[in-house]
Amino acid sequence: MDKNFKLIDIEKWKRREIFYYFSRIAPTTYSVTASLDITRMMKALKEHNLKFFPSYLWLSTTIINKHQEFKVAIKDGKVGYYDTLTPFYPTFHDDDKTISMLWTKYSSSLFEFHEAYLENKKLYGENKGFLGLHGATPPENAYTISVLPWLSFSSFSLTSSSSNPYFFPSIEGGKFIRDGEKLVFPLSITSHHATTDGYHVAEFYREFQEMADNFSLFLS
């Protein structure tokens, strides 16, 4: 068994009945979109010459990794959760308007993650095909996260016809909006109701806003 994967004692799990109902009887996913103020975050990034996208990946993944509910999966037929998730994200090819997927192993250090992201982008960013890392397989603990930089939105929803249970969140950001002195970022999160409720999603947004407001603390 993967050392990063921890089994859940189903008999003692507080979500046992909820998980069974929303994964077996009435499989349910839902999407929530909120607008977040990233004014202070963008100011801090500019002062340190850091890019927004990898910083957004790091911030989101840092929050996700704090909550077991977002990290639940089924491995070898058994329910458990990963210690950490890895962001699985697209890189855009401007010449033919296609994307390829890359991933960068999470680090609790923003600077280490930012550097690793740039290195991946340099080495594999121009590779075409669905997977930019040709010949490699995305890690089992990879969750999907992206930004739609050409369009701002007030609602965003993902659907899947796959019969394979997928309990990780999917996160999608939109184009920034200038609202007076504020820079507003629309952010959507799609979750599986078997593992997460509205409370957990609300906590994700609350923590994202709190970290964005105090982003300079992670740059010292």
Side-chain angles (χ1 to χ4, degrees), residues 32-42 52 56 59-60 63 152-154 171-179 181-189 201-213:
V32 176
T33 303
S35 296
L36 301 171
D37 182 355
I38 58 168
T39 310
R40 293 180 182 177
M41 177 180 176
M42 294 301 289
F52 171 76
Y56 152 73
L59 192 160
S60 299
I63 299 171
S152 187
F153 50 75
S154 57
I171 299 175
E172 184 77 30
K175 183 180 180 180
F176 306 154
I177 304 171
R178 181 67 69 176
D179 181 12
E181 298 297 320
K182 294 182 179 180
L183 196 57
V184 178
F185 181 49
L187 186 62
S188 170
I189 181 169
V201 173
E203 281 295 286
F204 173 86
Y205 283 119
R206 183 189 64 78
E207 292 179 33
F208 191 107
Q209 186 63 73
E210 182 177 326
M211 290 179 70
D213 285 343

Side-chain angles (χ1 to χ4, degrees), residues 1-7 65 71 75 80-86 105 139-142:
M1 184 69 67
D2 186 345
K3 291 183 179 180
N4 186 33
F5 188 77
K6 304 294 187 296
L7 294 179
N65 283 333
K71 301 181 291 181
K75 182 178 175 67
Y81 65 96
Y82 287 92
D83 281 342
T84 60
L85 297 191
T86 293
K105 184 178 180 180
E140 294 180 347
N141 63 330

Side-chain angles (χ1 to χ4, degrees), residues 73-200:
I74 295 178
K75 182 178 175 67
D76 300 328
K78 298 181 179 179
V79 180
Y81 65 96
Y82 287 92
D83 281 342
T84 60
L85 297 191
T86 293
F88 185 55
Y89 54 88
T91 181
F92 182 71
H93 305 298
D94 193 57
D95 56 347
D96 61 5
K97 315 305 181 193
T98 62
I99 63 169
S100 297
M101 300 300 292
L102 300 176
W103 57 93
T104 300
K105 184 178 180 180
Y106 173 74
S107 169
S108 59
S109 166
L110 170 59
F111 292 105
E112 288 182 6
F113 181 83
H114 192 278
E115 183 177 353
Y117 167 88
L118 294 180
E119 183 67 14
N120 275 357
K121 184 79 170 176
K122 178 181 178 181
L123 293 175
Y124 311 111
E126 298 302 320
N127 290 352
K128 300 295 180 66
F130 179 68
L131 296 178
L133 280 72
H134 293 169
T137 302
E140 294 180 347
N141 63 330
Y143 81 99
T144 306
I145 180 170
S146 183
V147 165
L148 186 61
W150 310 279
L151 178 69
S152 187
F153 50 75
S154 57
S155 179
F156 185 93
S157 179
L158 291 173
T159 58
S160 173
S161 59
S162 174
S163 59
N164 296 323
Y166 181 84
F167 303 113
F168 295 159
S170 295
I171 299 175
E172 184 77 30
K175 183 180 180 180
F176 306 154
I177 304 171
R178 181 67 69 176
D179 181 12
E181 298 297 320
K182 294 182 179 180
L183 196 57
V184 178
F185 181 49
L187 186 62
S188 170
I189 181 169
T190 300
S191 304
H192 202 297
H193 211 343
T195 54
T196 57
D197 304 318
Y199 169 80
H200 306 105

Side-chain angles (χ1 to χ4, degrees), residues 40-50 216 219:
R40 293 180 182 177
M41 177 180 176
M42 294 301 289
K43 182 176 183 294
L45 292 177
K46 184 177 181 180
E47 291 174 350
H48 288 79
N49 196 31
L50 296 177
S216 58
L219 301 173

Side-chain angles (χ1 to χ4, degrees), residues 50-69:
L50 296 177
K51 294 182 178 297
F52 171 76
F53 187 67
S55 302
Y56 152 73
L57 296 180
W58 177 85
L59 192 160
S60 299
T61 308
T62 295
I63 299 171
I64 290 296
N65 283 333
K66 291 170 59 180
H67 300 277
Q68 177 182 312
E69 291 82 4

